[in-house]
Amino acid sequence: MIETVRQGLTRAARHFEDLPVGSIDGKLLRPLVAWTAGGYTVEDPPPEEFWFGALAIQMVHEASLLHDDIVDGASHRRGEPALVAERGVAVALIEGDHLLTAAYRVAARTGSMSFMRAFTRAVERTVAGEKAQGRARGRILDEDEYQAIVRGKSGELFGCAVALSACLRGEDPEPGIEVGLRLGCLYQRVDDFLDLCPDAALGKPALQDLAQRKWTWPLGIVPLEAFPEDLHAFAREVLVLDAAGDSVLRGAVRLLDLEVGKVLAAAETAGVTSPGLAEILAGWVRRARRALDAREQSMRMDRVRDEAAAIGSEWTDYFAEHSKSFRFSARLFPKDEGRLVAGVYAFCRFTDDLVDDAPKGISRPELDGRLDAWRRWVERAWQGEETGIPFLDEVIGASRARGVRPEYSEALIRGVEMDLEPTRFEDLAALRVYSYRVASVVGLWLTELFGTRDPRILERAEAMGHAMQLTNILRDVGEDWSRGRLYLPLDRLNRYGITPEAIGLAVESDGLPERWEELMEDLMGEAERDYARAFEAIPELPAFFRRPVAVAGRVYRAIHREIRKNDYDNLHRRAWTSLPRKVWAGGAALLDLRRAASAQLGGEAWPGWQEGQSRPSGKVRWVRETGSGSSEAR
């Protein structure tokens, strides 16, 4: 539609000599409103006189923009240098005067005295509204005074535009003028709102009205008691997100929605019922909502960056505080490699905490927004930008330099996103999608980070992640249930006649569901098969990497023993391994690793390790349950 309007205005301009109109640019909102209010279509176009009236209205608007730029000392308009900034006040002033006076000549070509009366009134009151706003600078206004100003400076030209077709048809223009006044006030409210959104990409500087001490209606919502000296501090400190993720301006968008309803009701009463009018108004509010979304996301990015940066440069302490089992094995890394391992862990833990440690009462959209903000920082780090987050810059920088795939960090974020909704996994294959994202990618990331690309070894690193995540799930069934989460595969529950409802009842009591022990042994067996497959590849890892991986796997697997010691009660008790047990398990892992290396040197195949196995026992066929439920021999 806008191209049709642009072409009509261009044709109208060609009827005049020496008209100070170049290319017809801009959003052309007033001619668009005139077209829409008139009910025209490409198949049923307006008369030629319509285009003269619409062009005259647009010329007055363009003249007002030039004058605004002079008064405001503007540097840019529509993303380009303003005429006043480029050629000076005198040129801009004369150009604006020429547009304004020539507009009367164009308006006269409509041949409608009714339109000329409406047009001259609109021009005079537009200027009067600008003067009134100038006199009001620096003062806190009430709604009535604000409304009176914007009806003049913004509403009158829209009123003239809505009434244009009625004037040409010889009908009473007043109902249309009133609708246009309301519509223009809505547009000004949107424009005022956008001025407070630094990320709105308006084509002019943000916070310009505020800098010029112009009172606008959103300031009454803040509320503002005096004009701020530091505008950007005001934007940071006043227009902030609350715990639920809403900013102060979110309520302002809801008020704009209500104003749209009022304008459309007035239009219907006045007989201006074009369907396109509702779409134009909805588009204005959508723009405000998008600008606010961008502003809020920018604020979230600042908040998330500050939270991540607070971990500081010594993220090994963060690592030690939040992962006792993994930290125990990571002590075996050389210093530099251990720092990178701790950094990868810090990335994973921080990503997870964005959801699990979010403030209570936080909304789902805000959780989505926090993760999206973090995703953007991660993308910047992979692109080589400095984020100001020490562990992210160092770890992603090293990963990028060593050819690690960025898909791993994205997969982990997607895995955490899966926890935003109560999730049920139909079978082990579905659970493996989740465990791949939140656990296997960590092993894959570290394996590639330390120089291994062999697909066979990467496959077993993936298996280690599956095993460790399944162990975590079995350890935390009761704790996860309290968070509304159940990770146990439903087909395995059905195999033993256990329902989610039975688990919920057991959590509330001191007991366990019938056949719970069998279910736990079944799933621990699944994890143990993956541990065994993973161990096959450990002797082929770089020398410094073997011992911590072997110890980590064995220490995690030792949690199964603690579950058994707790009589399989993982609904009310959390299994954990004591330091002596970690030492015992770690020592056994190192002994098995040494024997595995000896077996390989002697030409024997070392298939894996299991609890109680102390030496290679010849070739063993291992059976692994695949995600689909079938088995394959290894």
Side-chain angles (χ1 to χ4, degrees):
M1 181 167 55
I2 189 170
E3 282 307 312
T4 300
V5 170
R6 196 184 312 278
Q7 291 168 12
L9 297 175
T10 301
R11 285 198 312 272
R14 293 194 187 117
H15 283 77
F16 302 88
E17 294 183 2
D18 303 323
L19 201 66
V21 175
S23 59
I24 306 295
D25 296 322
K27 297 187 289 290
L28 307 178
L29 292 178
R30 291 147 193 85
L32 275 171
V33 165
W35 166 282
T36 304
Y40 304 116
T41 64
V42 174
E43 295 75 21
D44 183 19
E48 195 67 18
E49 292 80 6
F50 169 87
W51 295 114
F52 297 133
L55 178 59
I57 293 169
Q58 182 64 21
M59 290 172 67
V60 173
H61 171 63
E62 296 291 340
S64 73
L65 295 182
L66 287 172
H67 290 160
D68 280 350
D69 288 346
I70 293 169
V71 172
D72 297 339
S75 60
H76 286 76
R77 172 68 67 180
R78 294 172 180 159
E80 300 291 336
L83 183 61
V84 65
E86 200 170 47
R87 300 184 61 188
V89 172
V91 171
L93 182 62
I94 292 172
E95 189 68 25
D97 287 347
H98 194 184
L99 274 170
L100 183 61
T101 53
Y104 284 97
R105 177 160 54 107
V106 176
R109 287 290 294 270
T110 63
S112 169
M113 184 56 67
S114 175
F115 175 72
M116 287 302 297
R117 285 194 293 268
F119 180 72
T120 55
R121 184 184 81 168
V123 173
E124 188 273 328
R125 291 185 180 177
T126 298
V127 176
E130 291 285 358
K131 288 175 61 179
Q133 185 175 64
R135 290 193 299 269
R137 284 194 186 194
R139 290 196 295 110
I140 307 298
L141 307 182
D142 60 29
E143 175 63 21
D144 289 342
E145 188 172 2
Y146 168 82
Q147 184 80 4
I149 290 172
V150 299
R151 277 175 70 91
K153 71 181 291 287
S154 300
E156 288 288 345
L157 281 180
F158 277 106
C160 188
V162 173
L164 172 57
S165 293
C167 292
L168 296 179
R169 292 192 294 261
E171 299 170 359
D172 182 8
E174 290 303 320
I177 289 174
E178 181 57 32
V179 170
L181 286 169
R182 289 173 174 266
L183 189 148
C185 289
L186 172 61
Y187 176 75
Q188 186 61 53
R189 286 182 184 274
V190 171
D191 196 61
D192 291 347
F193 178 91
L194 293 173
D195 183 70
L196 294 178
C197 296
D199 306 277
L202 299 176
K204 62 180 181 179
L207 306 176
Q208 184 169 280
D209 290 342
L210 198 60
Q212 294 162 3
R213 300 168 65 80
K214 294 179 182 177
W215 173 261
T216 57
W217 70 280
L219 301 180
I221 296 175
V222 171
L224 185 68
E225 298 179 355
F227 284 93
E229 296 297 328
D230 187 335
L231 302 182
H232 291 282
F234 170 80
R236 287 193 307 270
E237 297 168 10
V238 178
L239 307 179
V240 295
L241 297 173
D242 61 20
D246 276 357
S247 67
V248 174
L249 293 183
R250 186 59 61 179
V253 173
R254 290 189 279 269
L255 289 177
L256 290 175
D257 280 325
L258 293 175
E259 286 297 318
V260 169
K262 293 177 183 178
V263 173
L264 292 176
E268 185 174 2
T269 301
V272 181
T273 57
S274 170
L277 189 61
E279 179 55 33
I280 287 175
L281 303 188
W284 293 352
V285 179
R286 277 197 303 272
R287 188 182 181 204
R289 188 172 286 109
R290 285 195 298 268
L292 182 58
D293 289 344
R295 174 61 183 151
E296 290 182 350
Q297 192 59 16
S298 176
M299 295 164 74
R300 287 189 194 97
M301 288 189 69
D302 289 345
R303 179 179 290 179
V304 167
R305 180 192 56 206
D306 292 346
E307 291 174 9
I311 294 173
S313 300
E314 296 304 322
W315 50 83
T316 51
D317 295 338
Y318 180 78
F319 180 30
E321 178 184 353
H322 289 90
S323 180
K324 307 301 183 186
S325 295
F326 195 24
R327 172 58 176 162
F328 176 81
S329 59
R331 294 176 187 274
L332 298 173
F333 279 106
K335 181 179 179 181
D336 291 343
E337 286 79 5
R339 181 174 174 83
L340 287 176
V341 170
V344 172
Y345 174 83
F347 173 87
C348 299
R349 181 72 190 203
F350 180 80
T351 304
D352 190 56
D353 285 350
L354 283 172
V355 171
D356 283 351
D357 284 358
K360 290 185 178 180
I362 194 169
S363 66
R364 169 62 193 272
E366 175 61 9
L367 288 173
D368 288 330
R370 284 167 62 83
L371 278 175
D372 188 56
W374 180 234
R375 175 183 279 114
R376 295 188 190 191
W377 285 121
V378 174
E379 289 171 352
R380 291 185 184 186
W382 280 110
Q383 291 164 6
E385 296 182 33
E386 291 290 329
T387 66
I389 303 169
F391 76 82
L392 191 62
D393 289 337
E394 183 170 331
V395 172
I396 298 294
S399 299
R400 189 180 67 254
R402 300 182 187 189
V404 176
R405 287 172 282 181
E407 288 85 353
Y408 295 145
S409 59
E410 171 59 22
L412 188 122
I413 294 172
R414 291 174 63 194
V416 172
E417 284 176 330
M418 292 176 71
D419 282 332
L420 294 178
E421 291 285 355
T423 303
R424 298 292 169 90
F425 298 96
E426 292 297 326
D427 52 30
L428 199 62
L431 180 59
R432 281 180 177 271
V433 173
Y434 173 77
S435 67
Y436 172 85
R437 291 176 178 175
V438 300
S440 292
V441 295
V442 182
L444 292 167
W445 188 342
L446 291 174
T447 303
E448 289 193 8
L449 182 64
F450 296 134
T452 300
R453 301 287 189 279
D454 186 324
R456 176 179 173 276
I457 297 176
L458 291 174
E459 180 191 1
R460 283 153 178 77
E462 183 177 330
M464 180 70 87
H466 288 310
M468 296 174 81
Q469 185 60 30
L470 187 51
T471 297
N472 272 339
I473 288 169
L474 297 176
R475 179 190 64 192
D476 298 335
V477 177
E479 183 178 321
D480 289 333
W481 183 271
S482 68
R483 293 182 172 184
R485 300 172 185 171
L486 177 64
Y487 294 102
L488 304 179
L490 296 180
D491 65 334
R492 298 302 172 98
L493 292 177
N494 292 335
R495 178 183 296 180
Y496 298 100
I498 300 171
T499 65
E501 292 73 21
I503 296 175
L505 290 173
V507 169
E508 297 299 321
S509 68
D510 293 329
L512 297 173
E514 291 187 17
R515 304 189 69 185
W516 187 255
E517 175 181 331
E518 296 175 69
L519 172 64
M520 292 300 103
E521 286 293 346
D522 185 349
L523 293 174
M524 283 189 284
E526 290 288 351
E528 286 161 2
R529 281 187 280 276
D530 270 329
Y531 281 122
R533 290 193 65 247
F535 196 82
E536 295 172 2
I538 292 177
E540 301 173 52
L541 293 173
F544 72 85
F545 197 19
R546 296 171 194 162
R547 295 196 305 160
V549 172
V551 170
R554 181 63 71 89
V555 168
Y556 254 84
R557 187 176 179 273
I559 293 173
H560 296 175
R561 180 176 182 273
E562 303 306 318
I563 292 174
R564 294 182 178 106
K565 283 177 61 179
N566 289 343
D567 295 326
Y568 301 93
D569 185 1
N570 48 10
L571 299 183
H572 312 97
R573 304 171 66 183
R574 193 174 196 268
W576 60 279
T577 50
S578 65
L579 180 58
R581 178 62 185 169
K582 287 186 176 77
V583 172
W584 184 92
L590 295 176
L591 181 60
D592 279 343
L593 184 62
R594 178 177 296 180
R595 288 169 172 165
S598 299
Q600 287 186 340
L601 288 173
E604 298 182 62
W606 176 245
W609 95 99
Q610 61 185 21
E611 185 104 2
Q613 183 174 329
S614 59
R615 60 184 177 83
S617 56
K619 294 186 178 181
V620 179
R621 292 174 62 82
W622 292 91
V623 178
R624 176 175 66 89
E625 183 102 297
T626 66
S628 62
S630 63
S631 298
E632 60 179 348
R634 293 290 182 188

